[in-house]
Amino acid sequence: MIYLDNAATSFPKPEPVYQALDRFARSHLANPGRSGHRMATEAERTLDQARHTLNRFFNGEAPERWVFTLNGTDALNIAMKGAINPGDHVITSDLEHNSISRPLVAMELGGMISLTRLASHDGYLDPDELRAALSPKTRLVALTHAANVLGTVQPIEAIAPIVREAGALLLVDAAQSAGVVPIDLRATPIDLLAFPGHKALYGPTGTGALYVGPRADLRVWREGGTGGDSKHPVQPEELPYRLEGGTPNVLGVAGLAEGVRWVADRGPEANRAHEVGLLQKVIDWVEGNGDGWRVAGRWDPATHVGALSLIPPDPEAFPSQDLAMALDSSHGIAVRAGLHCAPYIHQALGTFPDGTLRLSPGPFNSAEEIETLLRALTEMTAGVL
Ligand SMILES: Cc1ncc(COP(=O)(O)O)c(C=O)c1O
């Protein structure tokens, strides 16, 4: 299988991640913090170390500000539902994944908030348009860092100070950027950073994290056991326990921490450069002899992650879903077609409801694999489905 669906979840994981999962599962898989015995203490230590690892990697304020979550969606829901109050104004964009759009639209339809959705231009948001949309009632600005359909990286360093100056909170969805685009939480005023652990940080599925900055005071999300402090009648005030009721996925976190260390050793830019280099071959093919294929959004290798959406030459004759199925069944190539859980950007692109064919290589893909893909696409548009 040629796996080009790393924007959905990364595969394969780096070898040290598999080894860490195996090692931890066999020797330390006790309930962290729940009992005083050595295995439980070791499991708790694994969680603590992972918070330190994340804090160092993203230059956060303190390890306890990192809350482990089930996935990216969980982290975003904890952030949005914990921060927003009735009557607030919230700003988002047409690039967002449903894990931001659906909770916000539900709040808007329920009469709880007013919502502004910024339009992107060729895949990029304009900081001046954001500035104009802010009002004294704006409580939260919730934006993706790298768009999952287009792969375009947003100017978050320009956006963050504008939001801070207006007194609102900034929530950044780093699902497609964490691990490939450097993020420095002390240099860039981001209040809440949410991401899954299972994409470019190479943890297993079932992992994610939310960074809660000092200005964000979130409501309790899920109440329950936290190991220590059992006498307390309600959820403890302190982070991370305030937002982490229940037995955590400590096995997944052990794998995630190893993935973050692997990325930190190579440097995020090395993985991004490799993936963008592979996508450049696709761009060259589209521009050279692409047979009517089009690229969605503006291609700028300096501000792109390893995800790219292609619009087939004749979407009625070649719906992206059919192409993806044929790539899988006839060529052993895994890509993702359709709307990619991001309907608003497809409406803006005019690719709704059929969607696009998204290619997302990872650090283990080769140039030969991309050539195989391009040969397959060429054959298909020549009518050989
Ligand atoms: C931009 C973006 N945000 C959020 C998510 C949700 O992450 P998860 O599937 O881990 O909940 C994804 C997943 O594809 C994504 O691409």
Side-chain angles (χ1 to χ4, degrees):
M1 172 66 78
I2 298 178
Y3 186 81
L4 296 172
D5 195 18
N6 287 272
T9 196
S10 53
F11 180 84
K13 309 296 179 188
E15 196 50 38
V17 172
Y18 293 120
Q19 288 166 2
L21 289 169
D22 186 65
R23 204 168 47 240
F24 188 86
R26 289 176 193 281
S27 55
H28 299 310
L29 192 43
N31 204 323
R34 266 51 177 186
S35 322
H37 56 75
R38 268 173 295 165
M39 270 177 71
T41 313
E42 196 51 43
E44 181 71 17
R45 211 167 67 85
T46 299
L47 286 180
D48 286 347
Q49 279 179 345
R51 291 188 222 280
H52 275 90
T53 302
L54 285 175
N55 198 55
R56 258 196 315 276
F57 186 71
F58 292 103
N59 200 22
E61 293 285 342
E64 59 272 17
R65 296 201 162 273
W66 291 92
V67 173
F68 291 116
T69 66
L70 298 172
N71 46 41
T73 303
D74 199 33
L76 290 164
N77 272 264
I78 295 172
M80 290 187 287
K81 293 174 184 170
I84 296 172
N85 299 310
D88 283 346
H89 173 236
V90 178
I91 300 177
T92 187
S93 86
D94 67 1
L95 296 170
E96 306 310 317
H97 188 274
N98 271 335
S99 49
I100 282 190
S101 299
R102 283 181 171 166
L104 292 181
V105 170
M107 286 187 227
E108 184 190 29
L109 293 176
M112 182 181 166
I113 60 166
S114 57
L115 186 62
T116 300
R117 187 182 301 285
L118 299 171
S120 56
H121 308 285
D122 268 348
Y124 294 91
L125 296 174
D126 180 344
D128 288 334
E129 290 179 16
L130 166 68
R131 193 195 305 277
L134 284 158
S135 87
K137 292 189 94 176
T138 310
R139 165 83 174 146
L140 184 74
V141 176
L143 297 175
T144 191
H145 189 191
N148 72 321
V149 174
L150 306 173
T152 47
V153 179
Q154 304 310 309
I156 220 73
E157 287 81 9
I159 284 172
I162 297 173
V163 178
R164 179 63 58 94
E165 208 176 294
L169 294 172
L170 176 62
L171 164 62
V172 173
D173 174 0
Q176 300 294 341
S177 62
V180 279
V181 181
I183 299 172
D184 183 331
L185 288 166
R186 293 198 205 185
T188 310
I190 294 170
D191 297 294
L192 295 155
L193 184 77
F195 50 78
H198 60 87
K199 299 192 197 259
L201 293 171
Y202 303 102
T205 48
T207 58
L210 172 66
Y211 172 78
V212 184
R215 291 170 75 246
D217 185 17
L218 300 185
R219 266 187 294 279
V220 167
W221 170 249
R222 184 176 56 232
E223 291 153 284
T226 50
D229 216 6
S230 294
K231 330 187 268 304
H232 249 272
V234 293
Q235 203 70 7
E237 281 298 312
E238 309 81 58
L239 288 171
Y241 308 107
R242 179 172 172 75
L243 299 172
E244 270 188 4
T247 301
N249 177 9
V250 63
L251 173 60
V253 168
L256 168 60
E258 201 58 43
V260 176
R261 283 191 279 274
W262 185 82
V263 173
D265 281 352
R266 292 161 67 94
E269 182 55 23
N271 286 343
R272 195 189 73 83
H274 176 76
E275 293 161 18
V276 166
L278 294 177
L279 290 179
Q280 183 65 56
K281 294 187 181 306
V282 179
I283 297 288
D284 295 346
W285 172 81
V286 167
E287 286 173 356
N289 45 24
D291 230 0
W293 286 85
R294 283 182 298 134
V295 171
R298 177 155 53 85
W299 170 253
D300 172 4
T303 55
H304 226 275
V305 294
L308 185 75
S309 261
L310 293 182
I311 304 170
D314 178 354
E316 272 185 27
F318 304 110
S320 65
Q321 301 277 10
D322 291 4
L323 291 172
M325 269 167 58
L327 280 175
D328 182 22
S329 56
S330 306
H331 300 272
I333 301 175
V335 298
R336 178 158 175 205
L339 297 178
H340 315 99
C341 303
Y344 298 94
I345 189 57
H346 283 287
Q347 281 164 357
L349 289 168
T351 49
F352 187 91
D354 290 332
T356 52
L357 198 68
R358 185 181 69 184
L359 314 173
S360 53
F364 304 109
N365 288 115
S366 65
E368 292 69 40
E369 289 178 321
I370 299 297
E371 276 153 27
T372 305
L373 164 81
L374 297 177
R375 269 197 307 277
L377 292 180
T378 306
E379 274 181 26
M380 286 175 174
T381 38
V384 195
L385 265 181

